[in-house]
Amino acid sequence: MDMIISSSQCQIASAIWGGLKISIQVASAFSSYFDDLTSLYMTIGRTYPPLKDFGLLYPKAPRLQNALCEYLIVIINLSKHTILFLKKPLLSQFASSLTNTFESEFEKYKKDLEKLANTIQIEVSVASKQIQASEAIDNSVFRSIATQGLQKTTQELREARNWRKQQKEKQFLLACSSYDYQKSWKQARKKGNANWIFQGDTYEGWKEELASSTIWCCGILGSGKTVLSANVIEDIMLIRPEVIVAYFFCPYDETASLLARTIIGSIVRQILQSAKLDMTGKINSYCEEELDTDQLLRFL
């Protein structure tokens, strides 16, 4: 159409078309200028919110925070430049859009924003890895502390169970017998010794015998049988500590020592103590404060 009008002889039509053409170009340039500016602000509107969230998510990442601050500074400078442009008279705006392209005016801000956005993405990745590493260390320390605490708690529970078990075993042994059977033995030892029996082959043979055997010592009243028995008991406990030794003396002046229940209960208690047997089943089966003679005989 431009060629047709230019080749015509109509000067008036040519002048009109020339003016119209210039108006169209000015309007097109002005519209394109503002379209590009609007597109830039829309890009900022889409990009900044997630970048701001990253800043809130990693407040202790200094390089990330610095990059976000620089990003905001560029936005502020861009806004100042835009406001100054919009404050110009309309004709000046038209003139600026023709003489200065959008790229010459605002391309610098656009490139700075893109560069800072990429920098922020990199710093977010670095901050995320640092936090993961820190959390791994914290988790390791926590697991170590938790493990130590669990081990300590387990040990305390084990000790508490053992203590309760020992208390129950002690109560059970007392239920067997609470009689002080060692008192008479200690008194008899102090009255003298019986070294003569240790020098004989009969006693040595009996002491070393692995099979069940009996050594019989008899004598009249006051001949020293109690003292002899006390010394034999002491000798066996010293020489053969692995052997279970159970004994009982019956002082005629202690009525309790002459009762069958006292004698049997004391012997049962000594055997259970020396053998170090697991008495859990027995404790659970007998809850009476004192076991009777029949119950004691079952243990023998």
Side-chain angles (χ1 to χ4, degrees):
M1 184 176 180
D2 188 24
M3 292 176 63
I4 295 173
I5 293 174
S6 297
S7 61
S8 68
Q9 299 299 320
C10 184
Q11 297 296 323
I12 296 175
S14 178
I16 293 173
W17 170 244
L20 181 61
K21 179 181 177 182
I22 292 173
S23 299
I24 292 173
Q25 290 177 343
V26 171
S28 176
F30 190 73
S31 175
S32 175
Y33 193 96
F34 276 93
D35 285 344
D36 292 340
L37 186 59
T38 301
S39 177
L40 177 58
Y41 275 102
M42 290 179 66
T43 301
I44 294 173
R46 290 192 302 269
T47 306
Y48 178 66
L51 299 181
K52 180 186 69 174
D53 293 338
F54 287 140
L56 296 175
L57 187 59
Y58 304 108
K60 296 183 179 180
R63 292 187 299 182
L64 173 60
Q65 298 298 325
N66 290 337
L68 284 169
C69 289
E70 292 179 8
Y71 191 89
L72 289 173
I73 290 172
V74 174
I75 293 177
I76 292 171
N77 291 333
L78 171 64
S79 300
K80 287 172 62 178
H81 195 144
T82 304
I83 291 171
L84 292 175
F85 177 80
L86 293 176
K87 282 185 176 181
K88 292 181 181 179
L90 187 60
L91 290 177
S92 297
Q93 294 180 21
F94 274 111
S96 295
S97 64
L98 290 174
T99 57
N100 299 318
T101 63
F102 173 82
E103 285 76 12
S104 63
E105 290 284 336
F106 295 100
E107 185 67 21
K108 176 180 180 300
Y109 300 109
K110 183 179 179 181
K111 289 183 177 179
D112 287 345
L113 290 172
E114 291 176 351
K115 179 180 178 181
L116 287 170
N118 291 331
T119 301
I120 291 171
Q121 293 289 348
I122 293 172
E123 294 301 330
V124 166
S125 177
V126 173
S128 176
K129 292 179 180 179
Q130 289 176 342
I131 289 179
Q132 290 176 1
S134 177
E135 288 178 347
I137 295 174
D138 292 341
N139 290 337
S140 176
V141 173
F142 174 78
R143 284 194 297 270
S144 177
I145 295 174
T147 301
Q148 293 175 1
L150 180 61
Q151 292 175 347
K152 182 178 179 182
T153 302
T154 303
Q155 179 65 24
E156 290 176 350
L157 289 174
R158 187 182 298 112
E159 291 175 355
R161 284 195 297 267
N162 290 336
W163 182 84
R164 287 196 297 269
K165 181 181 178 182
Q166 291 172 1
Q167 292 301 310
K168 288 183 178 181
E169 290 178 351
K170 184 177 180 180
Q171 292 175 358
F172 178 77
L173 292 174
L174 288 174
C176 292
S177 175
S178 58
Y179 180 79
D180 185 7
Y181 61 91
Q182 292 182 329
K183 178 181 176 182
S184 299
W185 171 62
K186 292 177 181 178
Q187 291 174 346
R189 276 193 312 161
K190 294 178 181 179
K191 291 181 179 180
N193 58 63
N195 293 332
W196 61 267
I197 194 173
F198 303 144
Q199 299 171 2
D201 294 336
T202 302
Y203 175 76
E204 289 297 325
W206 169 78
K207 187 171 64 174
E208 300 298 331
E209 180 65 48
L210 298 178
S212 178
S213 60
T214 303
I215 184 170
W216 180 264
C217 296
C218 58
I220 62 174
L221 184 65
S223 60
K225 298 186 296 299
T226 301
V227 175
L228 174 65
S229 300
N231 281 270
V232 167
I233 291 169
E234 182 181 26
D235 182 64
I236 295 174
M237 287 191 296
L238 292 175
I239 303 302
R240 300 285 299 277
E242 76 282 3
V243 174
I244 297 175
V245 179
Y247 58 89
F248 193 87
F249 292 87
C250 302
Y252 67 90
D253 55 348
E254 291 188 21
T255 306
S257 69
L258 304 177
L259 299 176
R261 167 65 182 78
T262 304
I263 299 171
I264 296 173
S266 180
I267 292 175
V268 170
R269 176 179 177 176
Q270 292 177 68
I271 293 174
L272 292 176
Q273 277 184 310
S274 301
K276 300 185 182 302
L277 300 174
D278 184 4
M279 294 182 289
T280 305
K282 298 180 179 63
I283 293 172
N284 295 332
S285 299
Y286 299 96
C287 301
E288 294 82 354
E289 294 183 359
E290 183 173 315
L291 304 178
D292 58 33
T293 305
D294 292 336
Q295 290 172 332
L296 291 170
L297 290 173
R298 293 194 191 102
F299 297 143
L300 294 176

